[in-house]
Amino acid sequence: MRTALILLFLLAVGAVPGSLLPQRPLNPGRTSGYIRAHGSWGRFLDGIGMFDVFGSVWFAAIYLLLFVSLIGCLIPRIRLHARAVTRKPLPAPRNLDRLPESGSFETSDNVDAYLDSARAVLGRRWRVVRREDASGAVTLSAEKGYSRETGNLIFHVALLASLVLIAIGRLYSYQGSEIVVQGHGFCNVVAQYDSWQPGRFAAEGKIRPAPFCIDKLTRFTAAYTDSGEPSKFAADIVYRPSVDDPSTRARITVNHPLRLQGDRVYLIGHGFAPRVTIRMPDGTVRHDTEPFVPQDAATLQSEGAFKLQGKPGAKQDVGVAATFSPTPVPQSAQTFTSASPQVRNPILGIAIYLGDLNYQGLPQSVYSLDTSKMKLSGAANLRVGQKKTLSNGVSVTFDGWVPWASLQVSHDPAQGFLLWSALAMVVGLLGSLGVRRRRLWLRVTPAGDSSDAPHTVVSVGGLARSDSGNFSTEFAALFERLRSVGRPARAAVLTGTE
Amino acid sequence: MAGIDGSAAHLSDTVFTTAIAVYALAMVSYVAEYAFGRRGRVAATAAVRELVTVGSPRTDATTASPPARGGAERLGRFAVALTVLGVALHALSIAIRGIAVDAVPWSNMYEFASVAGLVGVLAFLGVLWKAPTIRHLGGFVLLPVILMMFLAGTVLYSKAQPLVPALQSYWLGIHVTLVSIAEGALMTSAVLTVLFLVKHRADKHPGSTGAFSNLATRLPAAETLDKVAYRIVAFAFPLYTVAIICGAIWAEAAWGRYWGWDPKETWAFVVWVIYACYLHARATAGWKGRAAAWVNLAGFFAITFNFLIVNIVVSGLHSYAGLS
Ligand code: HEM
């Protein structure tokens, strides 16, 4: 017990830094910022895993020790309990009045008649055994509340099972997310994801994502209240559960993911993809639609870029760095920000660059421009339909926008079982904390026949095996019932402390 | 989702303020009863209980309370009546708020604090029902409730608002209801635990005088306080467990994972483990009594931390606080 206590305590204390320090898996940006700001102290904390507490070696060590200690204490307890359940209740101690609760009375019933009545009082909830003393007295040993220990064991076993299921879930899980512009789609293939977080087996390629496709985001809808609070987000999609299946329609909303065999598809974010028409330096006309990244979750003021390559090596690439303000409000003389995520006469603020987009030929972020080999050639704030033309004939027209939705695919084959296991924990807890374990003994002694009427002395003793609650009251009530079923003789004496 | 019914929301606020005033009055009455009540009351009641046990064990302890003692007794009854009135108003204010926002009314800190406070008072009334002798302790339970409601009505207050999409789930109703019931009950347990520690200390140093020992003489037996505090945890712990499970079910539906060590989740876990520690401590030789009591208080500290600091200072996905 002491080990369990210490390990539980460590577990609680160990979890605390995980909530107070930024955690890399949740927020990599803030984590590296924190480390930079705190110099060697930050690096020290990093070294001991403080920025990934729940993935750290020492947290795993506490968890594993707890696991081992739990197994170590459960096995003997299960064996003991199995024995206790099959065994008869213990014989009565010699002196019942030494027990925490006891009392005695006399009845004019004879021994057997009284014992029958007493058994009837105890009913089915008590397990009762009758024994005869050497002295000729008869004892009843009664016990109840076995399900307390049963419940406690169920709880701890289910806890173990839960830990195992969490670990299995981690090993077999994967998670990918993808920004889908309305009208487009994707398949559940690693290469298609913007972000991919595999569990160990998925990372090793031992499990492969199920072959389903979200063929098309037909429509994304956002609804707002009068005061501008979001009230509903919904993504209408067409999907195929497996590549060869026929297409099916479905709607994904924030609390209602699409649940496929083994995978779930969530709607986790949304934004805007402005559409532009660009006349290139060589006179060709191109169309482009790019998803922009929201800079502010409350107003969806967004940023992004359009990148159009001209003839290779001709330094005729056009890059447009842009901001999209759904409900524009002037921020300074030249720039706009947004007052609301609702689109009302939006503005696309553009800065047009000419030159070489990717002189290094390396992969780049699609949301920003590398302007080191480009020249700023013009800027404007465009409403839908407006156009900015440069002196060399290059122009950018803001044609409109479509929404995009960020869809996340999650896979965790163990979570359904985990739910059952967690429910078993609750059931076990209810037994463990709700049931009281009690022992009761009756010694029924024929008191000679010197007097005219037969009479019998009954002594009763009780013991609370667990949390005594108000056992005195409980005992007193039971004592009273046991007394009143016998034909009265003389007064009862009830003694007892708690 | 319908909009907000402004006049109902306003009415709810008024009733809420009235409930605070009624509680405050009740608290004053409890304290007055406590101050004017005679010293020997606990001893007397304990003796009566023994008597009753012998005579007719079925008798409810209510009838066992000592014969009316004039002023103090009347004050005490008045305080209970006020508490019941306060609870009725408090519940009414929450119900009206629910009608105003057309959803379960505990989705931000103000609403949550209000509900938890209500549960705390209800838990006290429940304990009072079973053990009338603790009546004069009512002030100790009402004081934190009033403080919390005051804080809720001022600092944490947010206007009645419809729910953002992530909160539109019936699991929210179940999850937050259970959390506030469990935490309200655990608050009462913590109050009793503090009183237990006071009594325990006084029992150890019988000769000492001062405010604490003065208080201690009027408290029920240390063992009783400890036991009632435990029974409350035994009731609240499974509830809290179910609440966390419902939270996980909701997180799975809303965020794509049942558990993500978000600060709020982490603290819920910490609280859960501390109360598991408490239950173990009570069953461990050498940890019973005082040590276990401190674990109980650590648990309540963690709840408070989770509610105030994590909501206001540490940001996470659970940004339901409604403060901005
Ligand atoms: C996260 C881990 C654990 C949790 C949440 C937990 C929770 C609980 C709970 C709620 C009880 C019921 C207490 C009561 O009856 O009042 C209990 C009892 C018990 N636990 Fe654990 N436990 C954990 C780990 C362990 C471990 C590792 C051990 C053994 C090394 C252990 C041994 C026991 C024993 C022996 C009891 C019976 C206490 C009694 O009622 O006499 N537990 N536990």
Side-chain angles (χ1 to χ4, degrees):
Chain A
M1 279 306 288
R2 173 150 308 139
T3 333
L5 193 55
I6 292 170
L7 289 175
L8 281 174
F9 184 70
L10 284 178
L11 193 67
V13 172
V16 171
S19 77
L20 299 182
L21 291 171
Q23 297 293 296
R24 195 167 278 124
L26 291 181
N27 202 331
R30 258 187 54 208
T31 307
S32 44
Y34 185 94
I35 298 176
R36 241 179 289 121
H38 289 79
S40 57
W41 173 238
R43 284 191 300 278
F44 169 72
L45 288 179
D46 195 21
I48 58 173
M50 283 297 174
F51 299 109
D52 184 8
V53 166
F54 304 105
S56 72
V57 177
W58 54 269
F59 196 78
I62 301 177
Y63 172 112
L64 280 178
L65 280 176
L66 197 75
F67 191 87
V68 171
S69 124
L70 203 48
I71 294 178
C73 90
L74 280 178
I75 291 175
R77 277 178 70 198
I78 292 175
R79 204 181 297 141
L80 271 177
H81 184 55
R83 211 176 298 152
V85 168
T86 49
R87 198 178 49 193
K88 290 177 180 161
L90 295 174
R94 193 196 302 266
N95 276 325
L96 292 184
D97 51 7
R98 293 244 183 93
L99 290 169
E101 299 292 336
S102 64
S104 67
F105 56 86
E106 293 187 3
T107 165
S108 51
D109 282 336
N110 68 29
V111 171
D112 286 324
Y114 181 74
L115 282 173
D116 286 345
S117 326
R119 281 197 93 125
V121 168
L122 292 176
R124 292 229 313 260
R125 290 187 52 196
W126 292 80
R127 174 182 298 187
V128 185
V129 170
R130 176 186 163 134
R131 292 189 177 88
E132 315 238 337
D133 265 8
S135 62
V138 179
T139 62
L140 289 187
S141 307
E143 188 157 349
K144 73 168 185 182
Y146 292 87
S147 45
R148 182 186 182 88
E149 182 70 359
T150 312
N152 193 279
L153 291 174
I154 290 178
F155 170 78
H156 286 87
V157 171
L159 182 68
L160 263 182
S162 303
L163 295 182
V164 172
L165 288 167
I166 290 171
I168 292 180
R170 281 281 188 82
L171 288 178
Y172 284 88
S173 69
Y174 59 77
Q175 201 174 72
S177 64
E178 170 75 2
I179 285 182
V180 186
V181 174
Q182 182 171 295
H184 297 254
F186 69 102
C187 283
N188 188 23
V189 176
V190 179
Q192 296 207 1
Y193 284 114
D194 296 330
S195 139
W196 172 246
Q197 292 169 290
R200 154 118 23 121
F201 289 162
E204 288 172 359
K206 289 193 185 130
I207 59 162
R208 235 171 265 139
F212 68 85
C213 291
I214 307 293
D215 288 320
K216 191 171 165 193
L217 172 64
T218 359
R219 203 169 121 83
F220 173 84
T221 328
Y224 295 89
T225 61
D226 300 338
S227 58
E229 297 286 325
S231 63
K232 184 176 178 183
F233 300 127
D236 292 302
I237 57 158
V238 176
Y239 73 99
R240 280 170 297 153
S242 182
V243 186
D244 308 322
D245 289 341
S247 303
T248 317
R249 289 172 180 285
R251 163 169 274 211
I252 304 177
T253 59
V254 173
N255 277 307
H256 302 278
L258 171 66
R259 292 181 187 275
L260 300 168
Q261 188 76 43
D263 289 88
R264 293 111 53 199
V265 187
Y266 294 88
L267 172 60
I268 57 167
H270 69 108
F272 305 102
R275 202 168 62 235
V276 291
T277 301
I278 296 180
R279 173 186 279 277
M280 301 293 287
D282 60 5
T284 57
V285 173
R286 308 256 208 103
H287 301 285
D288 194 12
T289 305
E290 291 295 337
F292 276 31
V293 189
Q295 304 299 302
D296 178 337
T299 65
L300 290 190
Q301 168 80 2
S302 307
E303 265 179 35
F306 302 94
K307 303 180 181 187
L308 293 154
Q309 247 138 25
K311 262 192 240 115
K315 301 210 166 160
Q316 290 193 340
D317 298 344
V318 177
V320 180
T323 59
F324 181 83
S325 309
T327 300
V329 282
Q331 189 177 35
S332 65
Q334 296 303 320
T335 58
F336 285 83
T337 181
S338 178
S340 151
Q342 288 168 274
V343 186
R344 294 194 200 92
N345 202 0
I347 281 186
L348 187 70
I350 56 171
I352 307 172
Y353 292 86
L354 300 177
D356 197 349
L357 267 176
N358 189 355
Y359 62 98
Q360 289 176 308
L362 296 176
Q364 283 185 331
S365 162
V366 294
Y367 303 114
S368 60
L369 287 181
D370 176 356
T371 54
S372 50
K373 289 279 188 285
M374 301 194 87
K375 185 165 148 278
L376 179 60
S377 311
N381 289 309
L382 304 179
R383 302 263 178 192
V384 173
Q386 288 181 339
K387 175 156 128 183
K388 168 77 181 172
T389 309
L390 303 182
S391 52
N392 60 356
V394 169
S395 73
V396 176
T397 314
F398 177 27
D399 297 327
W401 57 279
V402 287
W404 57 256
S406 162
L407 297 181
Q408 174 181 305
V409 174
S410 304
H411 177 82
D412 178 346
Q415 70 169 20
F417 300 103
L418 180 61
L419 181 58
W420 284 108
S421 165
L423 291 179
M425 279 169 63
V426 173
V427 170
L429 265 185
L430 291 178
S432 174
L433 296 173
V435 174
R436 295 166 184 191
R437 191 121 190 241
R438 303 290 184 242
R439 282 184 178 161
L440 189 77
W441 290 278
L442 277 81
R443 176 169 283 118
V444 185
T445 322
D449 14 44
S450 53
S451 59
D452 324 333
H455 70 281
T456 302
V457 178
V458 181
S459 38
V460 188
L463 181 69
R465 286 282 321 279
S466 65
D467 145 55
S468 45
N470 42 6
F471 183 54
S472 326
T473 333
E474 220 178 296
F475 180 80
L478 192 59
F479 180 82
E480 180 54 24
R481 276 169 52 224
L482 285 169
R483 192 173 66 87
S484 61
V485 291
R487 247 184 301 149
R490 263 177 284 153
V493 191
L494 181 77
T495 53
T497 52
E498 212 178 303
Chain B
M1 174 147 295
I4 291 303
D5 183 342
S7 60
H10 186 71
L11 178 62
S12 163
D13 293 349
T14 313
V15 177
F16 179 83
T17 319
T18 318
I20 297 187
V22 173
Y23 281 149
L25 213 58
M27 186 181 77
V28 171
S29 311
Y30 283 121
V31 172
E33 183 203 9
Y34 176 77
F36 300 134
R38 273 184 232 151
R39 247 166 188 256
R41 92 174 278 123
V42 175
T45 340
V48 170
R49 195 170 67 124
E50 295 287 305
L51 265 171
V52 172
T53 336
V54 176
S56 57
R58 280 255 141 204
T59 315
D60 192 79
T62 327
T63 53
S65 53
R69 289 154 189 259
E73 173 68 20
R74 249 178 279 134
L75 269 175
R77 287 175 190 272
F78 180 60
V80 175
L82 281 177
T83 314
V84 173
L85 177 66
V87 161
L89 288 170
H90 194 165
L92 187 68
S93 103
I94 293 172
I96 300 176
R97 178 104 172 175
I99 295 170
V101 298
D102 194 16
V104 285
W106 35 85
S107 64
N108 56 42
M109 285 178 78
Y110 161 69
E111 293 170 351
F112 183 89
S114 176
V115 172
L118 178 65
V119 173
V121 182
L122 281 175
F124 171 69
L125 287 177
V127 173
L128 196 62
W129 185 274
K130 290 267 180 191
T133 54
I134 64 162
R135 185 179 67 204
H136 58 296
L137 302 182
F140 293 103
V141 176
L142 283 187
L143 180 66
V145 170
I146 292 172
L147 283 180
M148 189 160 85
M149 287 175 73
F150 182 72
L151 204 67
T154 51
V155 183
L156 307 180
Y157 186 76
S158 42
K159 279 215 311 270
Q161 274 176 352
L163 298 175
V164 299
L167 300 185
Q168 295 166 10
S169 161
Y170 51 83
W171 288 110
L172 166 79
I174 303 171
H175 168 64
V176 187
T177 308
L178 291 177
V179 174
S180 52
I181 292 177
E183 294 190 345
L186 291 171
M187 177 180 83
T188 305
S189 179
V191 169
L192 293 172
T193 302
V194 171
L195 297 177
F196 161 78
L197 286 171
V198 170
K199 182 73 178 177
H200 185 84
R201 219 186 104 131
D203 289 351
K204 280 239 169 123
H205 311 276
S208 65
T209 50
F212 268 146
S213 44
N214 218 344
L215 165 65
T217 50
R218 303 205 186 146
L219 292 174
E223 197 194 347
T224 311
L225 290 169
D226 183 46
K227 237 177 229 173
V228 177
Y230 164 74
R231 290 302 321 160
I232 295 178
V233 175
F235 160 80
F237 188 75
L239 271 189
Y240 198 72
T241 311
V242 177
I244 293 180
I245 294 173
C246 292
I249 294 176
W250 174 32
E252 193 271 348
W255 297 321
R257 82 290 186 292
Y258 57 81
W259 197 267
W261 295 113
D262 177 81
K264 199 86 197 165
E265 295 168 352
T266 306
W267 276 91
F269 173 78
V270 170
V271 168
W272 189 74
V273 172
I274 295 180
Y275 280 101
C277 273
Y278 169 73
L279 293 174
H280 278 98
R282 278 190 52 103
T284 307
W287 277 79
K288 297 191 170 90
R290 233 168 61 93
W294 283 108
V295 179
N296 183 314
L297 293 185
F300 189 67
F301 173 79
I303 288 181
T304 316
F305 189 91
N306 194 7
F307 181 65
L308 290 178
I309 310 297
V310 177
N311 276 343
I312 298 172
V313 182
V314 187
S315 66
L317 281 172
H318 283 75
S319 52
Y320 70 93
L323 305 169
S324 50

